[in-house]
């Protein structure tokens, strides 16, 4: 009976994945038009422009929208593997292939003893909740690398380290996977991979690290936690602007620098809390690396001055990796992430015009989505702490002793 139930669950999972991914492909290929602005324009305009530059053997050093580590070039160049298709078509299929790779990783992990398919279901359900944005950004490729690293951490530490290092050179955040890993071989492998790959790019392609100078003048992105200050302030006379700046729609004007600095301070506090957890945690189990990675990325995403819709793909992938383990305590944060994905697709792209104009609808959607992320972060950190940090037991109290009266001695004769 259990075998039949398992087969039915697996069949339902694969059918759901097939139907939802077909729908995503129909949206990005514009067989059906998804509501809101065209999210595929980043591929046809920005990515293809970078592709043309990268093919010449150099990075786009004069383009301030290029804000990615050097290995990101491989993701942008990946459509060259399908030379018989136009760039945008090939990119969508490469994103689809990365999506499939994550599913296969989660199925392999979930079908082993002591695991379950709940993680695969999180991925199958979460990705389509974000709409066509998933296949229109290279973040799904980065997520595939990060998920592979998390799932390999227990059995193949050196492979996991190499994947973490490579992922960090794709988009930095996969380095947070190391937070919950104690094995030195993983850290060493990650460091060696970063050194080798970064060295190869630095000697072979000029401008490999130009992206480090392109973050200085960023404002506060209109979907971030801090942006709510300005969305509300616009209704009370704030005279700043909303402009396309450094590749995203941001607030620029009075007090923006202050709010951005506050966001950086919150990120610093998040780092401090993670460091405190790492120093005090003693119970590390097989699932701890996955749980810690999800909590760390939640903390840094929520406190960031930019929360782009594609960032949610990272959270879905890590939540799915967590729930492959029966002992994981990230069930509630994973559900909150899925709900946040649905709200995200409503604020972008469906009602993004309301977000940009700070309408009551736009503010409400952002408030709900960001609150969900804050609650998921807090609950995730609490569960991680409870599972890994031992409780301090008070020292046993000594029973009160009745004073012994002094012994009387008879006077000597």
């Amino acid at each position: 009976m259990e075998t039949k139930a398992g087969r039915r669950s697996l069949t339902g999972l694969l059918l759901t994945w097939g139907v939802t991914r077909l729908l995503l492909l129909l949206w990005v290929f514009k067989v059906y038009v998804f509501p809101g602005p065209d999210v595929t324009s980043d591929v046809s305009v920005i990515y293809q422009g970078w592709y043309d530059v990268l093919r010449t053997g150099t990075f786009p050093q004069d383009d301030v929208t290029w804000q990615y580590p050097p290995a990101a070039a491989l993701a942008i160049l990946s459509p060259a593997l399908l030379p018989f298709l136009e760039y945008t078509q090939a990119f969508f299929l490469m994103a689809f292939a990365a999506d499939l790779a994550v599913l296969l990783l989660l199925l392999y992990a979930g079908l082993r003893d002591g695991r379950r398919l709940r993680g695969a279901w999180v991925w199958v359900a979460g990705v389509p909740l974000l709409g066509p944005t998933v296949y229109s950004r290279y973040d799904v490729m980065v997520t595939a690398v990060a998920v592979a690293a998390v799932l390999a951490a227990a059995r193949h530490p050196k492979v996991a380290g190499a994947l973490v290092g490579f992922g960090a050179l794709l988009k930095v955040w996969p380095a947070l996977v190391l937070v919950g890993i104690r094995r030195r071989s993983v850290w060493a492998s990650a460091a060696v991979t970063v050194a080798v790959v970064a060295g190869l790019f630095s000697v072979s392609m000029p401008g490999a690290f130009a992206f480090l100078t392109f973050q200085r003048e960023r404002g506060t992105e209109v979907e971030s936690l801090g942006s709510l200050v300005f969305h509300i302030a616009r209704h009370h006379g704030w005279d700043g602007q909303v402009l396309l700046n450094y590749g995203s729609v941001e607030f620029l004007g009075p007090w923006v620098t202050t709010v951005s600095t506050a966001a950086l301070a919150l990120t610093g506090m998040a780092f401090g809390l993670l460091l405190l957890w790492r120093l005090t945690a003693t119970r590390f189990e097989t699932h701890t690396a996955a749980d810690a990675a999800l909590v760390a990325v939640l903390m840094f995403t929520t406190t960031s001055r930019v929360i782009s819709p594609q960032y949610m793909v990272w959270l879905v992938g890590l939540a799915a990796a967590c729930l492959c383990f029966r002992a994981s305590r990230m069930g509630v944060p994973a559900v909150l992430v899925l709900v946040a994905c649905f709200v995200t697709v409503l604020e972008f792209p469906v009602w993004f015009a309301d977000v940009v104009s700070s309408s009551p609808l736009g503010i409400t959607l952002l408030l709900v989505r960001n609150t969900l992320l804050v609650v998921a972060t807090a609950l995730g950190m609490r569960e991680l702490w409870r599972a890994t940090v031992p409780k301090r037991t008070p020292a046993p109290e000594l029973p009160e002793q009745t004073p012994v009266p002094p012994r009387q001695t008879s006077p000597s004769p």
Side-chain angles (χ1 to χ4, degrees):
M1 293 296 293
E2 291 184 2
T3 303
K4 289 183 179 179
R7 288 177 180 173
R8 284 197 296 268
S9 177
L10 180 59
T11 301
L13 178 78
L14 295 175
L15 285 174
T16 305
W17 185 86
V19 171
T20 55
R21 274 40 180 195
L22 175 61
L23 187 58
L24 287 176
L25 288 173
L26 291 175
W27 280 332
V28 294
F29 281 104
K30 297 181 182 177
V31 177
Y32 297 108
V33 178
F34 197 82
D38 181 14
V39 301
T40 65
S41 60
D42 276 20
V43 179
S44 58
V45 178
I46 299 176
Y47 284 12
Q48 188 159 6
W50 291 340
Y51 174 81
D52 293 336
V53 175
L54 290 167
R55 289 179 64 190
T56 66
T58 184
F59 284 88
Q61 303 177 64
D62 298 325
D63 186 350
V64 295
T65 62
W66 175 263
Q67 300 172 15
Y68 308 108
L74 300 178
I76 303 302
L77 290 169
S78 63
L81 297 173
L82 302 174
F84 47 87
L85 295 175
E86 295 180 358
Y87 181 83
T88 54
Q89 297 173 340
F91 184 89
F92 297 147
L93 291 181
M94 295 304 297
F96 171 82
D99 179 5
L100 177 59
V102 176
L103 176 67
L104 295 177
L105 287 168
L106 294 170
L107 286 176
Y108 177 76
L111 291 173
R112 289 169 52 195
D113 293 339
R115 309 288 180 86
R116 52 185 171 182
L117 290 176
R118 192 171 63 160
W121 273 110
V122 169
W123 180 254
V124 169
V127 167
L129 287 177
L130 293 168
T133 302
V134 177
Y135 285 180
S136 302
R137 308 290 187 271
Y138 85 91
D139 295 79
V140 66
M141 304 175 187
V142 185
T143 302
V145 175
V147 169
V150 169
L151 296 178
R155 296 167 62 90
H156 306 286
K158 292 183 179 179
V159 174
L163 289 168
V164 169
F166 181 68
L169 288 175
L170 278 171
K171 208 167 186 180
V172 180
W173 70 264
L176 293 172
V177 171
L178 292 173
V179 167
I181 297 177
R182 292 193 299 178
R183 301 179 73 167
R184 293 182 180 180
S185 57
V186 178
W187 287 75
S189 179
V192 170
T193 301
V194 169
V196 171
V197 176
L200 289 174
F201 273 108
S202 63
V203 300
S204 62
M205 295 181 68
F209 295 96
F211 75 98
L212 294 172
T213 63
F214 292 162
Q215 294 278 351
R216 296 174 183 171
E217 303 299 326
R218 295 209 66 162
T220 295
E221 196 256 343
V222 295
E223 297 162 277
S224 65
L225 186 63
S227 73
L228 288 167
V229 173
F230 300 110
H231 283 295
I232 296 172
R234 291 176 82 182
H235 293 273
H236 298 278
W238 183 72
D239 59 352
Q241 296 177 297
V242 178
L243 297 173
L244 182 63
N245 187 51
Y246 290 86
S248 63
V249 181
E250 300 178 349
F251 282 113
L252 299 173
W255 300 103
V256 171
T257 302
T258 301
V259 172
S260 296
T261 302
L264 290 174
L266 282 175
T267 301
M269 293 171 63
F271 177 80
L273 182 57
L274 282 173
L275 180 60
L276 177 62
W277 166 78
R278 191 67 174 77
L279 294 174
T280 55
T282 58
R283 295 193 296 264
F284 283 76
E285 301 179 44
T286 306
H287 61 88
T288 302
D291 288 359
L294 174 61
V295 171
V297 176
L298 269 169
M299 293 177 77
F300 282 87
T301 300
T302 304
T303 60
S304 174
R305 56 183 171 172
V306 178
I307 305 181
S308 296
Q310 60 267 26
Y311 292 9
M312 299 300 297
V313 184
W314 316 345
L315 300 176
V316 173
L318 292 176
C322 288
L323 296 194
C324 285
F325 301 91
R326 290 184 180 275
S328 174
R329 304 178 67 153
M330 293 296 125
V332 174
V335 171
L336 293 174
V337 166
L338 292 180
V339 178
C341 286
F342 176 68
V343 181
T344 297
V345 81
L346 295 180
E347 63 91 358
F348 183 88
V350 178
W351 282 304
F352 190 59
D354 287 270
V355 171
V356 173
S357 63
S358 302
S359 75
L361 175 60
I363 294 175
T364 300
L365 289 172
L366 284 181
L367 181 62
V368 172
R369 196 279 302 275
N370 291 345
T371 300
L372 287 167
L373 291 179
V374 170
V375 174
T377 303
L379 292 179
M381 188 68 230
R382 186 187 69 176
E383 292 300 321
L384 180 65
W385 193 280
R386 287 180 173 179
T388 57
V389 178
K391 294 181 179 179
R392 292 184 177 180
T393 55
E397 296 182 2
L398 296 175
E400 294 185 2
Q401 296 182 355
T402 305
V404 179
R407 188 176 178 183
Q408 295 183 355
T409 58
S410 57
S412 56

